Amino acid sequence: RDFAVGSVEEACDLRNAGIRGSILNMRLFRPGQAREIVRRGILQAVFEPAQVAVLSRAARSMGKRARIQVKIDTGMGRFGIRWEHAASFIQSLRGNPRLEFLGTFSTLTEDTDFDREQIRRLRYVREKAGPVPRETWHIASSNGLLHHPDDPFEAARVGSLLYGFPPSREKGLPLSQVARLEAYVTAVRPVRKGNRVGYYSAPVATRTGRMAMLGIGRIHGLDTRLAGKGQVLIRGRLHPVHSVGGEYTLVELATRTTVRTGEKAVLIGSQAKRSITTAQWAAWLGLGPYYAMMLFGTR
């Protein structure tokens, strides 16, 4: 129902796509983005008086109220107001006529023992600041939801679980594959064993046959570690990845496979009753699924 993003640009993309619910930008913003934040009704994280002042001025000039949540540092040590000082900061914001104060959040370190201390600290801040019914407080992401079901707050920021994979290396969770990555075959080329295919350092063809060029590569988030390890699905058959270039990937086609330009290749997902899971994709890269998925950019 509610959304959380990592930049003002991402929040605006959701608004442009027709999302009208609450969208929290959990990260920083530039002063020049303040009017856009207010105009779009983006729920903006703040933790310094200067940020509040910029948003308040923008809201005043537009005859509106800026929607905010306070980011509290409960021990991660990155950004956010320190938990020891958070209660008084929150109380000062509740009375600002140009702000719509809608709650607070923090981020767990995902060290199970210290997570409990962070939860205790956020609970302490809420008790000291005084709870307000319409405010939402949250600290748990997917990992916290799994490991701290007794979290006393109103919301959890579920991300990787929605894609169908665990946030770390947990096994046996009843998750369904949702993430899907597809590309199209842009060319099919014959090759002879020993031929070099690509730049001077590219591997040579290991057999005579054909290769399919897919219109996806490193610039989109693929990693060269897939070469010689990864596979893709075309026409329901698995084909090994030969090499990954800047904007393309070469795939060795299986013998007697008819593949034409314009056909769809599945890199993550299912096709004709066969599947490549996020876990398998990550294993080819030597990463956990969470970090493997983080490689993909907006392209």
Side-chain angles (χ1 to χ4, degrees):
R1 189 172 61 182
D2 297 336
F3 295 83
V5 298
S7 70
V8 175
E9 290 81 4
E10 289 179 335
C12 290
D13 286 344
L14 290 185
R15 284 286 188 248
N16 292 339
I19 300 298
R20 296 290 170 252
S22 179
I23 303 174
L24 168 65
N25 175 32
M26 300 173 62
R27 299 294 182 255
L28 304 175
F29 69 98
R30 300 187 302 276
Q33 295 175 313
R35 289 181 63 86
E36 188 72 357
I37 290 169
V38 175
R39 185 176 73 83
R40 298 274 197 154
I42 296 167
L43 180 56
Q44 176 60 49
V46 298
F47 55 88
E48 292 182 349
Q51 297 169 323
V52 175
V54 168
L55 289 172
S56 295
R57 284 196 297 270
R60 185 183 305 111
S61 68
M62 301 169 70
K64 296 179 177 291
R65 300 173 73 195
R67 307 175 77 243
I68 64 166
Q69 284 195 357
V70 169
K71 172 63 188 291
I72 299 176
D73 176 13
T74 54
M76 178 72 82
R78 299 183 306 176
F79 57 89
I81 185 168
R82 285 287 301 176
W83 65 278
E84 300 97 324
H85 313 299
S88 58
F89 184 59
I90 290 169
Q91 289 170 340
S92 71
L93 298 179
R94 284 172 173 161
N96 189 320
R98 290 302 173 187
L99 302 178
E100 186 177 1
F101 181 76
L102 295 174
T104 75
F105 68 99
S106 189
T107 304
L108 296 173
T109 62
E110 299 189 2
D111 175 309
T112 302
D113 291 335
F114 189 63
D115 285 353
R116 296 189 184 95
E117 173 62 16
Q118 288 184 272
I119 292 171
R120 185 197 68 79
R121 290 174 178 179
L122 190 59
R123 185 190 292 115
Y124 166 82
V125 173
R126 178 150 72 171
E127 291 172 353
K128 191 171 181 180
V132 174
R134 66 188 182 89
E135 295 174 2
T136 300
W137 292 52
H138 48 107
I139 193 170
S141 58
S142 291
N143 185 80
L145 186 66
L146 291 175
H147 295 101
H148 303 284
D150 56 344
D151 167 1
F153 305 111
E154 292 80 24
R157 305 182 300 269
V158 181
S160 60
L161 288 176
L162 290 179
Y163 283 89
F165 62 88
S168 50
R169 298 186 184 274
E170 288 92 345
K171 295 182 179 180
L173 296 176
L175 301 175
S176 299
Q177 172 87 20
V178 175
R180 185 174 180 87
L181 178 65
E182 300 174 346
Y184 288 94
V185 176
T186 59
V188 178
R189 304 301 296 268
V191 294
R192 297 185 64 85
K193 182 178 179 179
N195 281 4
R196 190 176 302 280
V197 186
Y199 288 105
Y200 69 93
S201 60
V204 299
T206 58
R207 59 183 175 80
T208 297
R210 292 176 305 140
M211 288 196 185
M213 180 180 292
L214 308 184
I216 186 171
R218 295 179 67 184
I219 197 168
H220 306 94
L222 268 63
D223 193 289
T224 56
R225 284 174 287 185
L226 290 170
K229 298 179 182 178
Q231 296 177 304
V232 305
L233 282 165
I234 306 176
R235 291 200 170 191
R237 294 187 64 178
L238 290 167
H239 306 270
V241 175
H242 174 269
S243 58
V244 178
E247 297 195 46
Y248 66 89
T249 293
L250 289 172
V251 174
E252 298 179 12
L253 294 177
T255 306
R256 295 188 298 276
T257 299
T258 302
V259 173
R260 296 184 176 86
T261 298
E263 291 199 58
K264 185 181 294 184
V266 175
L267 293 86
I268 299 175
S270 299
Q271 188 185 68
K273 298 183 180 181
R274 304 195 73 167
S275 298
I276 298 173
T277 66
T278 51
Q280 181 61 68
W281 179 271
W284 289 330
L285 297 174
L287 300 171
Y290 178 81
Y291 292 103
M293 295 298 101
M294 284 179 65
L295 296 175
F296 296 116
T298 56
R299 288 191 62 177

